[in-house]
Amino acid sequence: IKMLKPKIIFILSSNYSGSHLLTHLISSHSRACSVGELKNLNKFLNRPSETHSVFHDYATNPLFKMLHTLPEKEWHVHLLEKIRVENDSIICLVDNSKKIGWAEKFINNPELEAICIHLIRDPRALARRWDKTFTDENAHRQRVKLALKQPLYGLKTVFKSNYDVYAYKWLMQNTRITNFLAKTNQQKNVISYSDLVSDTSAVLEKIMKQVGLNFEEDQLNYGRSKHIGTIKKDYVEQTKNSTIEEDLRWKEDLPPSASDGIKKNKDINRYLKSINLKWTNNGISAVTNFHVTKSEK
């Protein structure tokens, strides 16, 4: 099979937005392969595995051998060439590094086609997760970071709760991704976590169409596929069982006042409207559904 121009899908999102699930679903396509959080290759290799929230095979899988000695700009093409020795039908890699700065290094590389997917989760879910993750000291650091990086948001949260800080942290991160997509003319490549888990087939069909591949039903059985790179430690069993289930713990754990405050936040509502997302009972969802119409097929 003649080698086509490599496609590299970069998943862009805040942490805890479901990027590992999306990576597994896309890379379970017969012509795709995941490479994990490739940006963190050196960090994973140089730190004890118990300090990471993911399992990785960067140190043991021959595909990654000596990869760290090459210039970063060559990593994806080099990996794809090695992967295709075993399976020459693979033309697409999925990189779950999540960071704009990483994707930005490859977006103008003429040797590959870089496709960015913005995965966005309800800010209430992230506020709940960050509140459980950060100690009081770390929460204060998040407040300071927000003020330094986005002074206007910092002013708006001076006398507000940590939940408000986390809401604006979410807004800052996702707004940056939105601006990056606009700069690269990929504004349509936005999906919500809620849509992904509640209407998986339709969302995947839309994504694969944007990538230039046809959706395959077997992608839903993502646990059967071989995944290299990284896998989230907390979701090993779910991955084995191909579990697709929405995490709604924020509805029980988040104080009603915090949940209502985030939902009524004018800055967040203005942002959601700008990217055609709306509030639902279980999260945020596309204003129009993801089902592919006959005219689009």
Side-chain angles (χ1 to χ4, degrees), residues 5-187:
K5 192 173 185 179
K7 297 175 184 286
I8 315 298
I9 301 175
F10 293 95
I11 308 299
L12 303 178
S13 71
S14 298
N15 288 333
Y16 312 117
S17 293
S19 62
H20 280 79
L21 172 62
L22 179 57
T23 296
H24 291 326
L25 286 167
I26 297 176
S27 63
S28 293
H29 191 280
S30 61
R31 307 209 69 184
C33 181
S34 62
V35 292
E37 301 173 39
L38 202 58
K39 173 185 180 294
N40 295 323
L41 173 70
N42 287 311
K43 181 176 75 173
F44 288 159
L45 290 175
N46 295 323
R47 275 171 43 185
S49 59
E50 58 267 21
T51 65
H52 306 309
S53 62
V54 300
F55 292 114
H56 70 84
D57 62 353
Y58 290 144
T60 57
N61 192 324
L63 291 171
F64 299 102
K65 187 176 182 180
M66 303 303 291
L67 184 65
H68 65 286
T69 66
L70 300 176
E72 290 178 344
K73 66 179 182 179
E74 298 178 11
W75 284 7
H76 295 94
V77 174
H78 178 78
L79 272 174
L80 190 54
E81 288 175 350
K82 295 183 73 171
I83 290 169
R84 282 175 57 82
V85 171
E86 299 179 7
N87 184 351
D88 63 5
S89 67
I90 302 295
I91 63 167
C92 176
L93 298 183
V94 187
D95 187 327
N96 183 32
S97 294
K98 295 186 281 294
K99 302 301 182 183
I100 296 172
W102 179 250
E104 202 165 22
K105 293 182 179 183
F106 309 98
I107 203 72
N108 295 317
N109 187 336
E111 294 185 32
L112 52 84
E113 179 184 356
I115 302 162
C116 298
I117 303 291
H118 182 184
L119 176 62
I120 186 167
R121 191 173 182 185
D122 191 305
R124 295 169 294 186
L126 273 293
R128 175 254 174 203
R129 181 59 192 248
W130 283 326
D131 183 61
K132 288 188 173 296
T133 301
F134 297 134
T135 62
D136 289 341
E137 182 180 351
N138 284 333
H140 177 70
R141 289 176 183 170
Q142 292 300 314
R143 188 180 292 271
V144 172
K145 284 182 179 180
L146 180 68
L148 292 174
K149 292 181 178 180
Q150 198 68 267
L152 179 59
Y153 294 169
L155 285 173
K156 291 185 176 185
T157 57
V158 169
F159 300 109
K160 297 292 185 70
S161 71
N162 286 340
Y163 293 117
D164 293 292
V165 173
Y166 301 145
Y168 275 105
K169 171 186 172 74
W170 174 94
L171 181 59
M172 178 179 67
Q173 290 182 345
N174 285 285
T175 298
R176 286 178 174 174
I177 295 174
T178 296
N179 292 339
F180 179 69
L181 289 187
K183 188 171 67 173
T184 57
N185 296 313
Q186 301 190 69
Q187 298 96 316

Side-chain angles (χ1 to χ4, degrees), residues 21 192-200 203 244-247:
L21 172 62
S192 81
Y193 164 81
S194 184
D195 288 334
L196 177 66
V197 296
S198 64
D199 201 2
T200 309
V203 172
I244 303 173
E245 185 176 63
E246 190 161 11
D247 180 358

Side-chain angles (χ1 to χ4, degrees), residues 21 24 55 220-225 227 231-244:
L21 172 62
H24 291 326
F55 292 114
L220 301 178
N221 298 316
Y222 66 92
R224 297 180 184 177
S225 299
H227 298 289
I231 181 171
K232 200 85 168 181
K233 288 180 178 178
D234 291 343
Y235 300 115
V236 172
E237 287 304 313
Q238 288 93 324
T239 299
K240 287 181 181 178
N241 298 323
S242 301
T243 301
I244 303 173

